[in-house]
Amino acid sequence: MGAAILSDLLAEILIPAAAAVGIAFALFQWVLVSRVKLSTEKQAPAGKKNGYGDYLIEEEEGLNDHNVVSKCAEIQSAISEGATSFLFTEYQYVGIFMAVFAVLIFLFLGSVEGFSTKKQPCTYSKDKYCKPALANAIFSTLSFLLGAVTSVVSGFLGMKIATFANARTTLEARKGVGKAFITAFRSGAVMGFLLAANGLLVLYISINLFHLYYGDDWEGLFEAITGYGLGGSSMALFGRVGGGIYTKAADVGADLVGKVERNIPEDDPRNPAVIADNVGDNVGDIAGMGSDLFGSYAESSCAALVVASISSFGINHDFTSMCYPLLISSMGIIVCLITTLFATDFFEIKTVKEIEPALKRQLIVSTALMTLGIALVSWIALPSSFTIFNFGEQKLVKNWELFFCVAMGLWAGLVIGFTTEYYTSNAYSPVQDVADSCRTGAATNVIFGLALGYKSVIIPIFAIAVGIFVSFSLAAMYGIAVAALGMLSTIATGLAIDAYGPISDNAGGIAEMAGMSHRIRERTDALDAAGNTTAAIGKGFAIGSAALVSLALFGAFVSRAAISAVDVLTPKVFIGLIVGAMLPYWFSAMTMKSVGRAALEMVEEVRRQFNTIPGLMEGNAKPDYATCVKISTDASIKEMIPPGALVMLTPLIVGTLFGVETLAGVLAGALVSGVQIAISASNTGGAWDNAKKYIEAGASEHARTLGPKGSDAHKAAVIGDTIGDPLKDTSGPSLNILIKLMAVESLVFAPFFAAHGGLLFKIF
């Protein structure tokens, strides 16, 4: 079978080195962003590069107007304080959950062998002895806490970076759209590289620390490491649901009363919900999304490592080959670093029309370069042939076959990304058709939007299906796990273009609140419209990778629970399948109703202020922003607990009472239905949002016939956008966490379920 070209020592140096390069690059980008001052000091003149072209400058009079700069700084401070306050409140509740769940993990896994400290026969090699179940309980608990803390830190850092950059993007928009784009994109890159590098570094350090105890018991070590993925995704669930409820309660309240009833512009400072709306962009779209993608990365790595440990890599103690998933992620950081330079240094944005192509170029360049990177890693880090565990047997695999698995995931991600863009960008006919349907009112807009969402599921599902078939045929479940990792290998670039959207959205809000000119708002709106599309692309990647990750974790669970076959014709499995398919609907109902309840309270409060504060509509009085912020905070903290409990308790209850076969059915059902609903919900909401922006921008003759702002067609578009808000920013993105979190939780608790599960079937 041969050995890998890359030595173990070099692999151990390269992985942390790549993470260090990622962190250093993130800090460098942050330094560049911080050069845009929020004080009234006179800034040094810059050259013509990156948006300073003569015909683009269009500088307003009063470029260094002290009043505008101080207003922007004041608004930024209010948004940052609101976001920080909410996240600290959320983390207090999440901290309690983390402690309770850590105790549950220890008790469940420790009780498998009655808290015995004796060595036990290995799960997959009965002739060998592995570390005791108590050790697995302790180390699984530790890795769960590590994953949870890393996830929380990832989300919090992302929020701080976004709130640091939003006002700076606004100020740069006075100098041209190019400068504003660079500032927003660099800020997104800070988050992307910090998250990718931290996730890799913490996982690598954990493996090495656990190795001190486990030695050559790779099976036990990587089984314990799966807790890292569970910790990451459980925090992401609360971040996505809590943040999503917060942001959409404020958004719906601000839009319905402000735009539809009072006919005032978006982000108008007279609107009492405007600060809460801008805070929500940071806690939902930034902090929640950061934790979500970190969870996907952690789980796909853990799924691949678990299968590798029971394949020839683990049996032969081939450390470099076992670390193949980590080396892929390391290569991803370097590739994304080069790709980022294409947006910030190699090409300059000169007009509004160049924004979206520049972001698409990021996806194409990163995918092309990463394909070469995967080929290199597969050549130097893998033996020419090896065996992969395949449900009780060892399957012979060549290194080029594994390259195809990772590349399949990577290119499937690009297909999903471009399909999402086609269905959510107002540059193409699907969104323009939705906008056109607003002529006849909100009802036809809703019908067209729902149809678009359902139709947008077709190509991504085929891409995922082809990816699964090819990957499984070549390298069994390990192939699917590394395909998921391939889709997430360019996570730094994906996060950069994803975070860019909410930063641009905030920048537009600050421009409106600071009373800057219509021209500045047009530039930030153009950045934001492209950001809506990139956010939808980011969600597409997250959902696609979640499907592959869940399937890989499902395979690992089936193997660990010693299920010989999952037969849907047996009643135990079929009841699980049909209940599992129902769970995403139950979860979506809970999250959407939570947004509705919170929005109802917000609408009443905004109406009350407009009706009772004299001079508010005239701009002579200041609204009470704090009350609206408090409504969103209280609602999201209270409402995030039931959906979170549904997801976290389902595998525990089903596994304990009904056994591993029924749980396998539940996981399969949730995966199949969850992916479809998540894609359609995200794309429907994204399309409605951009249909509204299409009418508002009035960039084409067709769009001008539907406008202007305040027309009947525009009001119908606003209603569609409002309905789509909880779909695209709360329910849709949270569903991908549901399917992968239930799968990784089942894998972590598999030893307990296999030993003591199915109590009801044992009694009756």
PDB file of all heavy atoms in Angstrom, residues 56 91 102 113 197 204 219 269 321 328 361 366 384 388 476 552 604 610 632 693 696 698-699 753:
ATOM      1  N   LEU A  56     -14.956  58.517 -10.642  1.00  0.00           N
ATOM      2  CA  LEU A  56     -15.746  57.829  -9.614  1.00  0.00           C
ATOM      3  C   LEU A  56     -15.838  58.634  -8.331  1.00  0.00           C
ATOM      4  O   LEU A  56     -16.728  58.444  -7.528  1.00  0.00           O
ATOM      5  CB  LEU A  56     -15.103  56.466  -9.316  1.00  0.00           C
ATOM      6  CG  LEU A  56     -15.809  55.625  -8.263  1.00  0.00           C
ATOM      7  CD1 LEU A  56     -17.153  55.175  -8.810  1.00  0.00           C
ATOM      8  CD2 LEU A  56     -14.983  54.427  -7.899  1.00  0.00           C
ATOM      9  N   TYR A  91     -25.696  34.498  25.941  1.00  0.00           N
ATOM     10  CA  TYR A  91     -24.655  33.566  26.367  1.00  0.00           C
ATOM     11  C   TYR A  91     -24.816  33.140  27.823  1.00  0.00           C
ATOM     12  O   TYR A  91     -24.360  32.062  28.210  1.00  0.00           O
ATOM     13  CB  TYR A  91     -23.261  34.160  26.131  1.00  0.00           C
ATOM     14  CG  TYR A  91     -22.909  34.346  24.659  1.00  0.00           C
ATOM     15  CD1 TYR A  91     -21.960  35.277  24.240  1.00  0.00           C
ATOM     16  CD2 TYR A  91     -23.550  33.580  23.671  1.00  0.00           C
ATOM     17  CE1 TYR A  91     -21.654  35.446  22.892  1.00  0.00           C
ATOM     18  CE2 TYR A  91     -23.247  33.744  22.324  1.00  0.00           C
ATOM     19  CZ  TYR A  91     -22.300  34.675  21.938  1.00  0.00           C
ATOM     20  OH  TYR A  91     -21.996  34.836  20.608  1.00  0.00           O
ATOM     21  N   ALA A 102     -23.381  19.168  29.302  1.00  0.00           N
ATOM     22  CA  ALA A 102     -22.081  18.531  29.548  1.00  0.00           C
ATOM     23  C   ALA A 102     -22.219  17.435  30.604  1.00  0.00           C
ATOM     24  O   ALA A 102     -21.646  16.341  30.471  1.00  0.00           O
ATOM     25  CB  ALA A 102     -21.063  19.576  29.987  1.00  0.00           C
ATOM     26  N   GLU A 113     -20.717   1.399  30.693  1.00  0.00           N
ATOM     27  CA  GLU A 113     -20.064   0.265  31.370  1.00  0.00           C
ATOM     28  C   GLU A 113     -20.100   0.442  32.891  1.00  0.00           C
ATOM     29  O   GLU A 113     -19.199   0.006  33.598  1.00  0.00           O
ATOM     30  CB  GLU A 113     -18.609   0.145  30.898  1.00  0.00           C
ATOM     31  CG  GLU A 113     -18.430  -0.156  29.421  1.00  0.00           C
ATOM     32  CD  GLU A 113     -18.824  -1.581  29.064  1.00  0.00           C
ATOM     33  OE1 GLU A 113     -18.782  -2.448  29.960  1.00  0.00           O
ATOM     34  OE2 GLU A 113     -19.179  -1.823  27.895  1.00  0.00           O
ATOM     35  N   ALA A 197      -9.359  29.676  10.768  1.00  0.00           N
ATOM     36  CA  ALA A 197      -8.082  29.370  11.415  1.00  0.00           C
ATOM     37  C   ALA A 197      -8.283  28.911  12.854  1.00  0.00           C
ATOM     38  O   ALA A 197      -7.653  27.943  13.303  1.00  0.00           O
ATOM     39  CB  ALA A 197      -7.183  30.602  11.373  1.00  0.00           C
ATOM     40  N   TYR A 204      -6.996  20.854  16.085  1.00  0.00           N
ATOM     41  CA  TYR A 204      -5.670  20.223  16.003  1.00  0.00           C
ATOM     42  C   TYR A 204      -5.026  20.111  17.390  1.00  0.00           C
ATOM     43  O   TYR A 204      -4.469  19.057  17.739  1.00  0.00           O
ATOM     44  CB  TYR A 204      -4.775  21.040  15.062  1.00  0.00           C
ATOM     45  CG  TYR A 204      -3.375  20.487  14.940  1.00  0.00           C
ATOM     46  CD1 TYR A 204      -3.125  19.332  14.203  1.00  0.00           C
ATOM     47  CD2 TYR A 204      -2.296  21.105  15.579  1.00  0.00           C
ATOM     48  CE1 TYR A 204      -1.841  18.805  14.100  1.00  0.00           C
ATOM     49  CE2 TYR A 204      -1.019  20.591  15.482  1.00  0.00           C
ATOM     50  CZ  TYR A 204      -0.795  19.451  14.740  1.00  0.00           C
ATOM     51  OH  TYR A 204       0.476  18.933  14.650  1.00  0.00           O
ATOM     52  N   GLU A 219      -9.262   4.966  17.552  1.00  0.00           N
ATOM     53  CA  GLU A 219     -10.714   4.767  17.544  1.00  0.00           C
ATOM     54  C   GLU A 219     -11.360   5.507  18.714  1.00  0.00           C
ATOM     55  O   GLU A 219     -12.324   6.256  18.552  1.00  0.00           O
ATOM     56  CB  GLU A 219     -11.005   3.268  17.631  1.00  0.00           C
ATOM     57  CG  GLU A 219     -12.470   2.920  17.599  1.00  0.00           C
ATOM     58  CD  GLU A 219     -12.709   1.438  17.893  1.00  0.00           C
ATOM     59  OE1 GLU A 219     -12.049   0.578  17.263  1.00  0.00           O
ATOM     60  OE2 GLU A 219     -13.554   1.149  18.751  1.00  0.00           O
ATOM     61  N   PRO A 269     -34.391  57.628  10.748  1.00  0.00           N
ATOM     62  CA  PRO A 269     -34.144  57.773  12.196  1.00  0.00           C
ATOM     63  C   PRO A 269     -35.405  58.053  13.012  1.00  0.00           C
ATOM     64  O   PRO A 269     -35.406  57.898  14.234  1.00  0.00           O
ATOM     65  CB  PRO A 269     -33.166  58.958  12.280  1.00  0.00           C
ATOM     66  CG  PRO A 269     -33.278  59.676  10.975  1.00  0.00           C
ATOM     67  CD  PRO A 269     -33.658  58.646   9.970  1.00  0.00           C
ATOM     68  N   SER A 321      -1.935  10.657   7.045  1.00  0.00           N
ATOM     69  CA  SER A 321      -3.128  10.308   6.266  1.00  0.00           C
ATOM     70  C   SER A 321      -4.403  10.527   7.077  1.00  0.00           C
ATOM     71  O   SER A 321      -5.430  10.939   6.528  1.00  0.00           O
ATOM     72  CB  SER A 321      -3.058   8.848   5.806  1.00  0.00           C
ATOM     73  OG  SER A 321      -1.914   8.658   5.000  1.00  0.00           O
ATOM     74  N   ILE A 328      -6.567  19.431   4.210  1.00  0.00           N
ATOM     75  CA  ILE A 328      -7.455  20.053   3.218  1.00  0.00           C
ATOM     76  C   ILE A 328      -7.878  21.440   3.711  1.00  0.00           C
ATOM     77  O   ILE A 328      -7.854  22.428   2.964  1.00  0.00           O
ATOM     78  CB  ILE A 328      -8.710  19.169   2.966  1.00  0.00           C
ATOM     79  CG1 ILE A 328      -8.333  17.876   2.228  1.00  0.00           C
ATOM     80  CG2 ILE A 328      -9.797  19.936   2.218  1.00  0.00           C
ATOM     81  CD1 ILE A 328      -7.966  18.057   0.770  1.00  0.00           C
ATOM     82  N   ARG A 361     -16.641  36.267  -8.787  1.00  0.00           N
ATOM     83  CA  ARG A 361     -15.260  35.920  -9.135  1.00  0.00           C
ATOM     84  C   ARG A 361     -14.562  35.253  -7.941  1.00  0.00           C
ATOM     85  O   ARG A 361     -13.750  34.344  -8.111  1.00  0.00           O
ATOM     86  CB  ARG A 361     -14.508  37.175  -9.566  1.00  0.00           C
ATOM     87  CG  ARG A 361     -13.198  36.892 -10.307  1.00  0.00           C
ATOM     88  CD  ARG A 361     -12.440  38.174 -10.610  1.00  0.00           C
ATOM     89  NE  ARG A 361     -13.206  39.073 -11.457  1.00  0.00           N
ATOM     90  CZ  ARG A 361     -13.486  40.339 -11.131  1.00  0.00           C
ATOM     91  NH1 ARG A 361     -13.072  40.841  -9.996  1.00  0.00           N
ATOM     92  NH2 ARG A 361     -14.173  41.096 -11.949  1.00  0.00           N
ATOM     93  N   SER A 366     -11.665  30.827  -6.061  1.00  0.00           N
ATOM     94  CA  SER A 366     -11.358  29.965  -4.908  1.00  0.00           C
ATOM     95  C   SER A 366     -11.604  28.494  -5.241  1.00  0.00           C
ATOM     96  O   SER A 366     -10.828  27.618  -4.846  1.00  0.00           O
ATOM     97  CB  SER A 366     -12.175  30.378  -3.681  1.00  0.00           C
ATOM     98  OG  SER A 366     -13.552  30.228  -3.918  1.00  0.00           O
ATOM     99  N   SER A 384      -0.602   5.639  -2.078  1.00  0.00           N
ATOM    100  CA  SER A 384      -1.200   5.448  -3.410  1.00  0.00           C
ATOM    101  C   SER A 384      -2.487   4.628  -3.320  1.00  0.00           C
ATOM    102  O   SER A 384      -3.421   4.823  -4.094  1.00  0.00           O
ATOM    103  CB  SER A 384      -0.207   4.775  -4.354  1.00  0.00           C
ATOM    104  OG  SER A 384       0.225   3.546  -3.784  1.00  0.00           O
ATOM    105  N   ILE A 388     -10.674   1.759   3.356  1.00  0.00           N
ATOM    106  CA  ILE A 388     -11.618   2.614   4.083  1.00  0.00           C
ATOM    107  C   ILE A 388     -12.715   1.729   4.667  1.00  0.00           C
ATOM    108  O   ILE A 388     -13.237   0.840   3.984  1.00  0.00           O
ATOM    109  CB  ILE A 388     -12.237   3.675   3.135  1.00  0.00           C
ATOM    110  CG1 ILE A 388     -11.168   4.672   2.666  1.00  0.00           C
ATOM    111  CG2 ILE A 388     -13.398   4.400   3.793  1.00  0.00           C
ATOM    112  CD1 ILE A 388     -10.599   5.574   3.728  1.00  0.00           C
ATOM    113  N   ALA A 476     -16.906   5.100  -0.002  1.00  0.00           N
ATOM    114  CA  ALA A 476     -17.889   4.813   1.048  1.00  0.00           C
ATOM    115  C   ALA A 476     -18.218   6.074   1.859  1.00  0.00           C
ATOM    116  O   ALA A 476     -18.208   7.178   1.324  1.00  0.00           O
ATOM    117  CB  ALA A 476     -17.385   3.670   1.932  1.00  0.00           C
ATOM    118  N   ALA A 552     -22.848  11.756   6.376  1.00  0.00           N
ATOM    119  CA  ALA A 552     -21.603  11.149   6.865  1.00  0.00           C
ATOM    120  C   ALA A 552     -21.729  10.779   8.344  1.00  0.00           C
ATOM    121  O   ALA A 552     -21.318   9.683   8.770  1.00  0.00           O
ATOM    122  CB  ALA A 552     -20.445  12.111   6.651  1.00  0.00           C
ATOM    123  N   GLU A 604     -46.946  47.095  17.636  1.00  0.00           N
ATOM    124  CA  GLU A 604     -47.777  47.863  18.575  1.00  0.00           C
ATOM    125  C   GLU A 604     -46.972  48.969  19.251  1.00  0.00           C
ATOM    126  O   GLU A 604     -47.455  50.087  19.439  1.00  0.00           O
ATOM    127  CB  GLU A 604     -48.398  46.924  19.619  1.00  0.00           C
ATOM    128  CG  GLU A 604     -49.522  46.073  19.025  1.00  0.00           C
ATOM    129  CD  GLU A 604     -49.991  44.968  19.963  1.00  0.00           C
ATOM    130  OE1 GLU A 604     -49.374  44.801  21.046  1.00  0.00           O
ATOM    131  OE2 GLU A 604     -50.953  44.267  19.610  1.00  0.00           O
ATOM    132  N   PHE A 610     -45.393  56.517  17.479  1.00  0.00           N
ATOM    133  CA  PHE A 610     -45.787  57.475  16.432  1.00  0.00           C
ATOM    134  C   PHE A 610     -47.048  58.251  16.840  1.00  0.00           C
ATOM    135  O   PHE A 610     -47.193  59.438  16.518  1.00  0.00           O
ATOM    136  CB  PHE A 610     -46.039  56.752  15.106  1.00  0.00           C
ATOM    137  CG  PHE A 610     -44.795  56.562  14.272  1.00  0.00           C
ATOM    138  CD1 PHE A 610     -44.387  55.296  13.874  1.00  0.00           C
ATOM    139  CD2 PHE A 610     -44.033  57.656  13.879  1.00  0.00           C
ATOM    140  CE1 PHE A 610     -43.238  55.125  13.098  1.00  0.00           C
ATOM    141  CE2 PHE A 610     -42.888  57.487  13.108  1.00  0.00           C
ATOM    142  CZ  PHE A 610     -42.485  56.221  12.717  1.00  0.00           C
ATOM    143  N   SER A 632     -37.139  43.137  21.392  1.00  0.00           N
ATOM    144  CA  SER A 632     -36.464  42.115  20.585  1.00  0.00           C
ATOM    145  C   SER A 632     -35.624  41.183  21.449  1.00  0.00           C
ATOM    146  O   SER A 632     -35.617  39.967  21.258  1.00  0.00           O
ATOM    147  CB  SER A 632     -35.565  42.785  19.537  1.00  0.00           C
ATOM    148  OG  SER A 632     -36.245  42.920  18.314  1.00  0.00           O
ATOM    149  N   LYS A 693     -36.016  45.466  -3.607  1.00  0.00           N
ATOM    150  CA  LYS A 693     -34.882  46.352  -3.923  1.00  0.00           C
ATOM    151  C   LYS A 693     -34.828  46.682  -5.420  1.00  0.00           C
ATOM    152  O   LYS A 693     -34.388  47.763  -5.803  1.00  0.00           O
ATOM    153  CB  LYS A 693     -33.570  45.704  -3.464  1.00  0.00           C
ATOM    154  CG  LYS A 693     -33.370  45.810  -1.954  1.00  0.00           C
ATOM    155  CD  LYS A 693     -31.981  45.406  -1.546  1.00  0.00           C
ATOM    156  CE  LYS A 693     -31.677  45.829  -0.125  1.00  0.00           C
ATOM    157  NZ  LYS A 693     -32.607  45.341   0.868  1.00  0.00           N
ATOM    158  N   GLU A 696     -37.233  49.481  -5.843  1.00  0.00           N
ATOM    159  CA  GLU A 696     -36.713  50.698  -5.194  1.00  0.00           C
ATOM    160  C   GLU A 696     -35.583  51.345  -5.995  1.00  0.00           C
ATOM    161  O   GLU A 696     -35.503  52.568  -6.100  1.00  0.00           O
ATOM    162  CB  GLU A 696     -36.229  50.373  -3.777  1.00  0.00           C
ATOM    163  CG  GLU A 696     -37.351  50.089  -2.803  1.00  0.00           C
ATOM    164  CD  GLU A 696     -36.877  49.645  -1.421  1.00  0.00           C
ATOM    165  OE1 GLU A 696     -35.673  49.334  -1.277  1.00  0.00           O
ATOM    166  OE2 GLU A 696     -37.707  49.609  -0.508  1.00  0.00           O
ATOM    167  N   GLY A 698     -34.980  51.138  -9.257  1.00  0.00           N
ATOM    168  CA  GLY A 698     -35.448  51.694 -10.526  1.00  0.00           C
ATOM    169  C   GLY A 698     -34.357  51.783 -11.575  1.00  0.00           C
ATOM    170  O   GLY A 698     -34.283  52.742 -12.348  1.00  0.00           O
ATOM    171  N   ALA A 699     -33.498  50.764 -11.614  1.00  0.00           N
ATOM    172  CA  ALA A 699     -32.327  50.813 -12.502  1.00  0.00           C
ATOM    173  C   ALA A 699     -32.666  50.505 -13.960  1.00  0.00           C
ATOM    174  O   ALA A 699     -31.904  50.842 -14.850  1.00  0.00           O
ATOM    175  CB  ALA A 699     -31.262  49.845 -11.996  1.00  0.00           C
ATOM    176  N   PHE A 753     -27.007   4.413  23.531  1.00  0.00           N
ATOM    177  CA  PHE A 753     -28.209   3.897  22.861  1.00  0.00           C
ATOM    178  C   PHE A 753     -28.035   2.429  22.476  1.00  0.00           C
ATOM    179  O   PHE A 753     -28.974   1.630  22.578  1.00  0.00           O
ATOM    180  CB  PHE A 753     -28.525   4.725  21.603  1.00  0.00           C
ATOM    181  CG  PHE A 753     -28.856   6.168  21.871  1.00  0.00           C
ATOM    182  CD1 PHE A 753     -28.543   7.153  20.933  1.00  0.00           C
ATOM    183  CD2 PHE A 753     -29.473   6.551  23.046  1.00  0.00           C
ATOM    184  CE1 PHE A 753     -28.854   8.488  21.161  1.00  0.00           C
ATOM    185  CE2 PHE A 753     -29.791   7.887  23.294  1.00  0.00           C
ATOM    186  CZ  PHE A 753     -29.465   8.855  22.353  1.00  0.00           C
TER     187      PHE A 753
END
